[in-house]
Amino acid sequence: MALSVVASGCISGGTSSSSQSGTVVASGGISGGTSSSSQSGTAPSTYAPSKINILYTYTGAFNDPAKGKAAAQAQLQQGAWVIYQVAGGTGLGVFEAVSDYLKANNKKMGPPFAIGVDSAQDWIKPGVIIASMMKRVDVGVYNAVKQAEENKFVGGVVELGLKEGGVKLSTIADVKAMFDSLPADVKQKKLKELGFQNEQQLLEYLNKTRQQVPSWIWQAVDQLQKDILDGKIVVPKATQKSQIEELRKATSWQQMENLGIEWAKSAPAPQTYFNKTLNERQNTKKIAIVYDIGGRGDLSFNDMAYMGAERAAKDFNLKLIQVQSNSENDYLPNLRTLAKSGQYDIIIAVGFMMTKAVKTVAKEFPKQRFVIIDGFDPEMPHNVQMVLFKENEGSALAGALAALIALNDHKDTIGIVLGMEIPVLYKFEGGYRFGAYWALDYYKKRVEGKK
C-alpha cells in the first residue's frame, strides 16, 4: 500500500479541521487496553497506514493557556496521538488537555503524549510529556557573554543547529538541569504539587514514562539525527508562508528535502562582524538581561536564557542584573536605561519581540554590545549579535518521534499547536512535517522487512 502524508488543520480560532474530506481518523479510544508501545517493543508486522494526518493550529498567542487547551482538545477529538506544542505559555494548555484526556481514560501515563518545546519541559506534567524539543537559548546566551568577556564579540547572525548544540531532544539529564535551575523553595513547591517526595522520585517517574516508548523508536530518532549531522539528510527551512504551504502539499520527505535545497540556494548566508574598537573596551564584569513579558518562571524561553546567563556569570565571576518587562512598552526604556548607564559588558534581550527596540537603542549607543535571542533585522547595527536557531532540525526529530509513536500504536494522526503565525514558527511546523514523513517511510521499510 502506498504511503503518503495528508496535512490537515486550520490556522485560526484555536481549532483544527481536516483539510481533506473523508479523512480517516484512527478508531478506538485509549481506555480498556494497553498501548502496543509498552509491550514487546517491536513494530507490528502487518499494519501499514495509507497516510499520517498532521493537524496544525496557530492560536495567535504565546501566553494564553486557555487557547492552547482548546486547540489540543480539538486535535485529540480528531484522533491526535501525539501533540507538539510550540506556543510558549499558551502551550501549557496543551499539556493540560492531554493530561485531562488521560485522566478521563484512567491512565497516568501516555500515550497519547505531548511534546514540549524550548526548555526540558518533561517534568511539568509527568507521564504526559514524552520529550521536549530544546531550543538551547542558554547556549546562545552563554556563548555571547563568553565572547564579550574575552573581547572576541562579533555582531551579525549566529545560527545554532544540531551541530552547534543549539537544538536537541531532551534527556533526563536535561530535565534535571532545568528543574535544578529553579529556586529551592519553588522546587519544593513544585514537587509537592506534582505529588513527589523528592527529586529522585520525579526523575524515576519520567524515566518510566519514556519506557512506554519502545527502544527501536528512540534508536530510529537517533539515526535521523545522525544522518542530519552527517549531511546525508537536509531538513527544509521554511521562513515564508508560500514555503510552508509547499511543504503542506508535499507527498514525501525527499520532495520536501529538495524544496529546502532549492530555497537554500537563494537564501543569504549568515554573516558576522568583528569590531576591534568594540572589543577594546574595559570590561566591568557586569551583564544585564531583559526578559520579555513572559518573564522568569515561564518554564520556557526566558528561563532558558536565565540558565545561560547564570552559568556565564558563575564561570566568569560576573554580576548579573535581571530586568522584567511587564508590557511591550517596557522594552525600549528598559534597554535604553541599561545602555545609557554604560555599566554592562553586554546586554541580553530575550525574544524576537524586542527586535525593533534593540535596533533603536543599539544605534543610539554604538559602543554597547547587545545580543538578541531570536530577533532578526537585516539592517541591525553591527554591535548586536542576533542568535537564531535551526528549529527545523530539532522539530524534525520531534516529528519523527511523534509519528513513530502513533504508527507503532496503529494510529494515523499527530498534531502541532503553535503561537502566532510568524516566520520562525514556519520552521517548527516544516521540520515537524519533514520528520513525520521520514518516520512514515522508515516505518514502512521496517514493516516490509518483517514480512
Side-chain angles (χ1 to χ4, degrees):
M1 183 180 295
L3 299 182
S4 63
V5 176
V6 176
S8 58
C10 173
I11 289 181
S12 62
T15 59
S16 296
S17 60
S18 171
S19 64
Q20 180 172 321
S21 61
T23 297
V24 178
V25 176
S27 61
I30 59 174
S31 60
T34 304
S35 164
S36 63
S37 62
S38 63
Q39 296 180 15
S40 65
T42 60
S45 60
T46 58
Y47 178 67
S50 59
K51 61 187 175 300
I52 185 160
N53 302 311
I54 304 174
L55 307 176
Y56 65 100
T57 308
Y58 284 83
T59 62
F62 285 111
N63 201 26
D64 191 338
K67 285 188 176 181
K69 186 172 184 176
Q73 287 173 330
Q75 293 188 0
L76 287 166
Q77 290 171 2
Q78 294 180 71
W81 204 234
V82 181
I83 301 177
Y84 180 29
Q85 83 89 355
V86 189
T90 298
L92 297 178
V94 173
F95 302 153
E96 286 289 342
V98 177
S99 178
D100 289 350
Y101 197 75
L102 290 171
K103 289 176 183 177
N105 289 274
N106 299 314
K107 294 188 70 176
K108 292 183 178 180
M109 292 182 180
F113 286 115
I115 295 178
V117 77
D118 291 342
S119 66
Q121 295 186 315
D122 313 33
W123 66 271
I124 297 175
K125 283 287 182 183
V128 173
I129 306 166
I130 189 60
S132 302
M133 197 295 280
M134 296 180 67
K135 193 154 123 174
R136 298 298 301 272
V137 173
D138 58 322
V139 172
V141 169
Y142 183 92
N143 289 346
V145 173
K146 182 175 185 291
Q147 287 181 10
E149 293 307 313
E150 295 176 349
N151 280 323
K152 296 178 181 179
F153 178 82
V154 295
V157 175
V158 173
E159 193 172 30
L160 306 178
L162 284 173
K163 184 178 181 180
E164 297 81 15
V167 294
K168 63 174 294 191
L169 280 186
S170 61
T171 64
I172 298 298
D174 293 321
V175 178
K176 186 179 188 306
M178 184 67 206
F179 192 71
D180 286 347
S181 73
L182 300 174
D185 58 334
V186 176
K187 283 175 60 176
Q188 290 305 312
K189 181 181 178 182
K190 293 294 183 182
L191 284 169
K192 185 176 181 180
E193 290 174 352
L194 295 171
F196 297 102
Q197 294 182 354
N198 53 57
E199 184 177 325
Q200 186 59 36
Q201 281 189 352
L202 168 63
L203 297 178
E204 289 175 356
Y205 193 85
L206 294 177
N207 189 55
K208 186 177 180 181
T209 301
R210 292 195 170 215
Q211 291 173 359
Q212 304 308 301
V213 176
S215 60
W216 73 264
I217 290 181
W218 297 108
Q219 291 165 4
V221 175
D222 285 343
Q223 183 60 53
L224 174 58
Q225 176 172 292
K226 184 177 185 301
D227 287 348
I228 295 171
L229 287 170
D230 291 345
K232 295 179 181 178
I233 288 179
V234 177
V235 182
K237 182 169 71 174
T239 58
Q240 301 173 23
K241 188 165 186 176
S242 60
Q243 292 175 337
I244 194 61
E245 288 175 345
E246 283 190 84
L247 293 183
R248 289 171 186 163
K249 296 175 183 177
T251 56
S252 72
W253 68 265
Q254 292 93 341
Q255 183 181 354
M256 297 171 81
E257 181 181 51
N258 289 334
L259 286 170
I261 292 172
E262 285 301 311
W263 297 337
K265 291 178 181 179
S266 58
Q271 290 187 323
T272 57
Y273 309 91
F274 179 85
N275 184 307
K276 184 178 179 180
T277 302
L278 197 63
N279 285 295
E280 287 179 339
R281 56 172 288 167
Q282 183 65 41
N283 286 335
T284 63
K285 292 295 182 178
K286 292 181 180 180
I287 60 175
I289 184 170
V290 180
Y291 300 116
D292 73 4
I293 54 178
R296 281 283 282 126
D298 69 346
L299 308 177
S300 184
F301 212 73
N302 288 282
D303 283 346
M304 287 294 286
Y306 168 75
M307 287 177 63
E310 180 192 41
R311 183 158 63 93
K314 288 181 179 179
D315 287 355
F316 298 100
N317 193 27
L318 310 174
K319 182 177 181 180
L320 172 62
I321 302 300
Q322 303 177 65
V323 180
Q324 176 59 45
S325 302
N326 296 316
S327 75
E328 293 180 26
N329 293 329
D330 291 340
Y331 297 154
L332 190 61
N334 283 346
L335 291 165
R336 184 175 281 144
T337 298
L338 292 170
K340 188 176 182 179
S341 73
Q343 295 181 23
Y344 303 100
D345 297 340
I346 190 169
I347 297 172
I348 305 156
V350 184
F352 77 95
M353 295 178 73
M354 283 191 234
T355 304
K356 184 176 180 180
V358 168
K359 181 180 179 180
T360 298
V361 179
K363 285 182 177 180
E364 295 173 356
F365 300 93
K367 294 182 180 181
Q368 173 66 60
R369 293 175 291 211
F370 296 85
V371 58
I372 181 168
I373 304 298
D374 251 7
F376 174 76
D377 187 312
E379 298 180 355
M380 186 70 77
H382 293 175
N383 57 326
V384 181
Q385 182 176 126
M386 297 172 281
V387 178
L388 306 178
F389 298 87
K390 297 178 182 179
E391 297 93 346
N392 51 315
E393 292 184 351
S395 294
L397 304 183
L401 177 63
L404 289 172
I405 290 173
L407 294 167
N408 188 60
D409 285 346
H410 294 197
K411 308 294 182 180
D412 65 359
T413 304
I414 61 174
I416 179 171
V417 174
L418 309 101
M420 298 177 184
E421 190 178 358
I422 53 177
V424 66
L425 292 199
Y426 292 151
K427 290 197 287 182
F428 282 95
E429 183 192 341
Y432 190 65
R433 290 179 175 280
F434 179 89
Y437 277 73
W438 179 90
L440 195 59
D441 190 39
Y442 181 96
Y443 185 86
K444 176 184 177 182
K445 292 174 181 177
R446 181 178 173 87
V447 169
E448 291 179 344
K450 286 182 172 291
K451 290 181 179 179

